[in-house]
Structures are given as C-alpha cells and as structure tokens.
Amino acid sequence: MELEAFFASMDRGETAKAGSEAHQCMHVLAQEALGLTAKLNGSYHSPEEVREIMSQITGKPLDETFAMFPPFYTECGKNIHIGKNVFINCCCHFQDQGGIYIGDGVLIGSHVVLATINHDQNPTQRGDNIPGPIHIGNNVWIGSHATILPGVTIHDNAIIAAGAVVTKDVPQDVIVGGVPAKIIKNIEHSKNS
C-alpha cells in the first residue's frame, strides 16, 4: 500500500483490519520509526541534530524554533504535523497513525501520550485498528503524564493538567484535569496580553 493511500485511509477514519494491507503498512512504518527513534534516543544530540532527526521521523522539515528533550517514542512518525515554537519534553509517546496536528506555541510535558489508534471492542476483531486524529490548537500546555485519546481536539490556550486522561474535546481558554478530564476553571487573559 502506498503511503499516500494509507494516510488518506487513516484521515477518513477507516478501520485497518488485522492482516490487511493498511495493517501491514503500519508495521513497515513502525520498523522505520523504531530505527530512527533508536538513533535519536541512543546518545546525546545537539538541539540542531534533534531537530534534524525529528524531521526524518516526521518526513517534514521542522521550524528552527522546534525543541525537544529526548527520549521520544513513536511507531509511525510520518503523520505528526508540528507548528512553530513547539517544545516536547522527555519520554513522550506519539502514536500518530491516525494523525497528530500540533499548533504553534505548544508545550508538551514529559511522559505525555498522544494515542490516535483504538481497537475494536469485539474480542473477535480486537486486532483491528480504528484511527482518530488528535488536533492541538495554538498555545496549548499539556502537563506531564497526560494522555490524549483518539479523536480529541484541544482548542487554543487550553491547559491539560498533569496526569489527566482527555477523552473528549477541550474548549479554548480552559484548564482540564482528572480521569476522565473535566473542566476545572476558565483561563482569564490579562489586559496586557
């Protein structure tokens, strides 16, 4: 299966049936990503080298304002889209087959999981992969150890509290926390911003 066709299928939310061409494509992408993340995580790299290796992982150039503290984990990489002034802290895991879209000015804490694939609830079809993209707006802050589940959109300026499990869309200008995450409070903008 061609990569373009695979990602188009994922973008449409089509299930990748266990053993199908799409499922096999996922495994090929995983092997490439595992090699590149091993390179990234295996020794020290300068910020410029980290950016270059992440560009290889995503298959796209990254803005010079991008920064990351490895290690970083993904089993695809090619469906990660990163804006400007993004910082990703250590030990994050992006399961991006279904698409991860990160806006500008985003801060992602350590050990964050962005999961865009779910499995069928029916035990006889449990090996099937069901994609759902994650969209992260501008100026979002995701706290350490948070998990964002498939199909979630986090709107601009939101804060995800440490350890939250986000199962549904997050409006702009709010703080959410808990399991499952719920709105804790609104974010007030200062008059100078």
Side-chain angles (χ1 to χ4, degrees):
M1 178 175 231
E2 296 290 327
L3 278 184
E4 212 172 278
F6 170 73
F7 288 123
S9 171
M10 293 290 102
D11 290 346
R12 290 189 299 269
E14 295 175 1
T15 298
K17 295 276 190 192
S20 69
E21 248 189 304
H23 194 246
Q24 292 169 15
C25 187
M26 292 170 102
H27 286 279
V28 169
L29 287 166
Q31 292 307 306
E32 181 182 349
L34 290 171
L36 288 169
T37 55
K39 178 181 175 183
L40 175 68
N41 300 334
S43 63
Y44 171 78
H45 298 283
S46 70
E48 295 78 20
E49 292 168 331
V50 167
R51 190 166 44 254
E52 174 55 34
I53 297 168
M54 273 301 289
S55 291
Q56 293 172 27
I57 289 170
T58 64
K60 303 165 207 60
L62 293 175
D63 189 79
E64 64 182 17
T65 59
F66 171 81
M68 170 191 281
F69 291 164
F72 172 79
Y73 305 96
T74 181
E75 64 272 4
C76 180
K78 298 293 188 261
N79 211 2
I80 300 172
H81 310 270
I82 300 174
K84 297 178 181 178
N85 294 307
V86 170
F87 173 70
I88 300 171
N89 213 329
C90 62
C91 300
C92 290
H93 188 140
F94 289 10
Q95 182 196 48
D96 63 290
Q97 293 90 338
I100 293 173
Y101 301 85
I102 300 171
D104 297 337
V106 173
L107 301 174
I108 299 177
S110 60
H111 296 270
V112 166
V113 174
L114 303 179
T116 68
I117 293 290
N118 216 337
H119 292 281
D120 199 298
Q121 291 183 6
N122 182 336
T124 63
Q125 297 171 323
R126 192 72 41 88
D128 294 353
N129 292 274
I130 305 164
I134 292 173
H135 293 269
I136 300 170
N138 296 325
N139 304 310
V140 169
W141 173 20
I142 301 175
S144 297
H145 293 271
T147 299
I148 316 299
L149 295 183
V152 167
T153 295
I154 301 170
H155 292 276
D156 293 352
N157 307 317
I159 297 173
I160 310 303
V165 176
V166 183
T167 60
K168 60 184 181 181
D169 291 355
V170 176
Q172 72 176 38
D173 297 313
V174 298
I175 300 173
V176 300
V179 180
K182 295 182 177 8
I183 295 174
I184 297 170
K185 68 185 233 176
N186 292 321
I187 297 171
E188 295 188 29
H189 294 268
S190 69
K191 293 177 184 174
N192 297 332
S193 61

